[in-house]
């Protein structure tokens, strides 16, 4: 009964052994599936990390170019803040979200789109039109990169948490559940073997006792036959003629 805390509390029997074997097989299959899931998530995690680094580097270049375009537009057209504020009525660039399924994990994906026509298409007709048009394109590209970066960052954080949970489950199955079931199977096997040995010893003792009883019976019968008191019983099959019986 040593090590009872390291195994499942169960009565050792053939049925219990079959149940434990089925549980062990299920645990091993679950461990294999979770391991594959963790590997797939880790590969996607590394790809997203690489994409985040590339997007941040590109974001720095785009923002630098957009800031330079803003300085050019202000230099050629003067202060355009009042024109922008006058034309603003609703957001033109909007963000919508969808889900991306990666090994059973739903990752949010954001994408930007333009809703409606350009409210600033007439801005800069008097002067600086080319610079203002370049400014709009640069900042539109910067916004698209921001949306993409937000999507990547959100997926990165979500995957990081899911990978930690999956790895904990894999480690729990590998180092806790499977060894515990294996120890339980070993305990059941040892108990059943012990029962078989006890049963074999019991049957052997019974046979030995029966043999002794038979020998003692045969010895008493031989001694009785050797004595004068023994008389062979009459055989019913012997050919002896019985006397006729007359009934008056």
């Amino acid at each position: 009964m040593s090590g009872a805390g390291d195994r499942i509390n169960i009565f050792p029997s053939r049925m219990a052994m079959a149940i434990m074997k089925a549980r062990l097989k299920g645990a091993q299959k679950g461990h294999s599936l979770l391991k594959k899931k963790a590997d797939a998530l880790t590969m996607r995690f590394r790809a997203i990390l690489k994409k985040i680094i590339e997007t941040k580097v590109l974001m720095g270049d785009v923002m630098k170019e957009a800031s330079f375009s803003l300085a050019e537009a202000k230099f050629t057209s003067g202060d355009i803040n009042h024109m922008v504020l006058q034309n603003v009525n609703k957001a033109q660039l909007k963000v919508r979200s969808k889900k991306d399924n990666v090994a059973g994990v739903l990752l949010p994906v954001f994408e930007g789109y333009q809703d409606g026509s350009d409210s600033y298409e007439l801005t800069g007709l008097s002067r600086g039109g080319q610079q203002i048009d370049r400014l709009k394109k640069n900042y539109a590209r910067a916004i698209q990169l921001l949306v993409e970066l937000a999507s990547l960052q959100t997926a990165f954080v979500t995957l990081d948490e899911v990978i930690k949970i999956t790895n904990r489950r894999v480690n729990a199955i590998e180092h806790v559940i499977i060894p515990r079931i294996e120890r339980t199977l070993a305990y059941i096997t040892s108990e059943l073997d012990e029962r078989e040995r006890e049963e074999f010893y019991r049957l052997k003792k019974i046979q030995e006792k029966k043999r002794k009883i038979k020998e003692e019976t045969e010895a008493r019968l031989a001694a009785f036959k050797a004595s004068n008191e023994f008389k062979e019983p009459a055989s019913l099959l012997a050919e002896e003629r019985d006397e006729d019986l007359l009934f008056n």
Side-chain angles (χ1 to χ4, degrees):
M1 298 297 290
S2 61
D6 297 329
R7 58 174 173 78
I8 299 172
N9 230 348
I10 193 170
F11 182 76
S13 63
R14 298 289 178 187
M15 181 63 71
M17 177 180 283
I19 292 173
M20 286 296 107
K21 285 183 177 179
R23 289 182 65 175
L24 179 61
K25 187 176 180 181
Q28 290 172 343
K29 187 174 182 180
H31 175 267
S32 176
L33 292 176
L34 282 176
K35 189 70 176 174
K36 291 178 181 178
K37 178 181 178 180
D39 293 341
L41 293 177
T42 304
M43 288 179 61
R44 185 61 180 270
F45 181 79
R46 291 174 180 171
I48 289 177
L49 179 60
K50 183 180 179 182
K51 186 69 175 176
I52 286 175
I53 295 173
E54 294 174 354
T55 306
K56 283 186 175 181
V57 173
L58 182 60
M59 187 71 195
D61 297 336
V62 171
M63 288 301 296
K64 188 188 300 182
E65 189 176 350
S67 299
F68 186 71
S69 300
L70 179 61
E72 283 184 342
K74 285 185 177 180
F75 180 76
T76 55
S77 303
D79 190 9
I80 58 174
N81 289 339
H82 62 281
M83 290 187 291
V84 172
L85 294 174
Q86 286 175 1
N87 292 324
V88 169
N89 50 14
K90 67 175 183 178
Q92 294 179 4
L93 292 176
K94 296 183 178 180
V95 178
R96 57 190 170 200
S97 65
K98 59 182 182 180
K99 300 291 184 180
D100 185 16
N101 193 339
V102 180
V105 180
L106 296 179
L107 299 178
V109 178
F110 306 129
E111 59 179 13
Y113 66 98
Q114 186 169 352
D115 185 18
S117 59
D118 188 6
S119 302
Y120 312 110
E121 56 185 357
L122 300 179
T123 305
L125 284 179
S126 58
R127 54 177 180 168
Q130 185 178 1
Q131 286 76 15
I132 291 177
D133 187 57
R134 189 185 304 120
L135 172 65
K136 290 190 294 183
K137 289 181 180 179
N138 288 336
Y139 271 100
R141 189 182 178 199
I143 291 174
Q144 290 292 339
L145 283 176
L146 278 175
V147 172
E148 183 181 353
L149 187 60
S151 177
L152 290 172
Q153 291 277 24
T154 306
F156 180 84
V157 173
T158 305
L159 273 181
D160 183 46
E161 189 64 28
V162 173
I163 287 173
K164 288 179 182 178
I165 294 173
T166 306
N167 286 333
R168 282 198 294 267
R169 290 176 179 173
V170 170
N171 292 332
I173 293 175
E174 182 178 356
H175 300 292
V176 178
I177 296 177
I178 290 180
R180 194 177 183 198
I181 296 176
E182 288 176 345
R183 284 191 292 268
T184 305
L185 274 173
Y187 162 73
I188 293 174
T189 303
S190 64
E191 289 292 322
L192 291 179
D193 290 344
E194 182 67 24
R195 287 184 189 175
E196 288 180 0
R197 285 192 294 270
E198 290 177 356
E199 184 67 17
F200 177 75
Y201 180 75
R202 188 180 67 84
L203 292 175
K204 189 175 180 181
K205 294 296 287 184
I206 290 174
Q207 289 178 355
E208 185 178 353
K209 190 172 182 180
K210 285 183 177 179
R211 182 178 57 81
K212 286 183 179 180
I213 293 173
K214 184 178 179 182
E215 290 177 354
E216 291 175 358
T217 304
E218 290 177 352
R220 285 197 299 269
L221 184 60
F224 182 69
K225 283 182 178 180
S227 66
N228 296 328
E229 299 177 0
F230 178 76
K231 185 179 180 182
E232 285 287 345
S235 176
L236 296 177
L237 302 177
E239 294 183 358
E240 293 182 358
R241 187 174 182 81
D242 295 337
E243 296 180 0
D244 295 334
L245 298 177
L246 298 176
F247 296 94
N248 292 328

